[in-house]
Structures are given as structure tokens and as C-alpha cells.
């Protein structure tokens, strides 16, 4: 491979996309995942798995931001950043993610 540099702008764009993907999955809205696995809509575990995939994507981008010393928390409320830092997609994340979004300036 070449000397490709990943910029902060690029990672922050990917972070915003991952956040949007996760929030759409929480809202049970259409995501890219639905196009990849259309047959899964018929299975009850689909929505849980879809959320898990989106959460994993978000955590991966945050990890890359941390490794590159890129400030990522500004795109999230304080509570959302805490959820991400804990890395566990708990019931609190699923239940209160959007309630904490209102505090983002």
C-alpha cells in the first residue's frame, strides 16, 4: 500500500456517519444493513443484531479517533460519550440515547 494518510476530517465524517447509522438502527429505520441482509427482516432477532452491528461500527470509529488523538466527544452529549466510553450496549443505551441527545449544543 502507499503512504495514505487518514485525516481528522475523514475520521470525524465517518464518526458522524456511524452515529447516524446507530441512531437509525435504534429508531428501527432503514439502514445499509437492511440492503445487505433483506431476508433478516423476517426474523425476530434482526433488530437487536442490526443495533449491535451499528454499535460496533460506532465503537470502531471512536477507537480509531482515540488512537489518532482526535477529539470525538464534541459530536455527542456527555451521557452519550459515557455510554460509548463504557463500550457496552446496555439497556440504558437503548432506552436513553435520544433523551441525552437534547443536551448537545
Amino acid at each position: 500500500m502507499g503512504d495514505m494518510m487518514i485525516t481528522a476530517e475523514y475520521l470525524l465524517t465517518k464518526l458522524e456517519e456511524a452515529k447516524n447509522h446507530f441512531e437509525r438502527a435504534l429508531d428501527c429505520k432503514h439502514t445499509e444493513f437492511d440492503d445487505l441482509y433483506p431476508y433478516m427482516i423476517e426474523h425476530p432477532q434482526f433488530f437487536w443484531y442490526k443495533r449491535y452491528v451499528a454499535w460496533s461500527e460506532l465503537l470502531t470509529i471512536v477507537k480509531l479517533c482515540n488512537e489518532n488523538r482526535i477529539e470525538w466527544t464534541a459530536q455527542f452529549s456527555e451521557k452519550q460519550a459515557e455510554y460509548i466510553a463504557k463500550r457496552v450496549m446496555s439497556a440504558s443505551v437503548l432506552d436513553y440515547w435520544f433523551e441525552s441527545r437534547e443536551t448537545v449544543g
Side-chain angles (χ1 to χ4, degrees):
M1 291 186 87
D3 293 330
M4 185 176 148
M5 296 290 295
I6 296 178
T7 65
E9 180 181 349
Y10 175 80
L11 279 178
L12 291 174
T13 297
K14 292 299 176 187
L15 179 65
E16 185 60 35
E17 290 172 2
K19 179 183 178 190
N20 184 43
H21 182 207
F22 178 65
E23 290 179 348
R24 289 185 66 79
L26 283 179
D27 277 344
C28 298
K29 293 183 178 175
H30 185 86
T31 68
E32 214 174 273
F33 189 79
D34 298 296
D35 297 332
L36 294 171
Y37 302 101
Y39 62 89
M40 285 192 68
I41 292 172
E42 301 168 10
H43 300 282
Q45 74 273 20
F46 171 73
F47 290 108
W48 185 90
Y49 188 71
K50 179 177 168 175
R51 290 172 181 153
Y52 173 78
V53 168
W55 179 248
S56 296
E57 177 186 17
L58 181 61
L59 293 180
T60 299
I61 301 298
V62 166
K63 180 180 178 182
L64 290 170
C65 288
N66 286 335
E67 289 174 355
N68 288 282
R69 297 186 182 106
I70 296 169
E71 175 54 43
W72 57 269
T73 58
Q75 295 192 36
F76 299 90
S77 72
E78 185 177 324
K79 197 66 178 168
Q80 289 171 334
E82 287 176 25
Y83 294 145
I84 292 168
K86 289 179 183 176
R87 302 185 55 83
V88 176
M89 189 176 63
S90 65
S92 294
V93 174
L94 298 175
D95 292 341
Y96 302 114
W97 180 267
F98 290 115
E99 288 181 26
S100 56
R101 174 173 58 188
E102 295 168 3
T103 61
V104 176

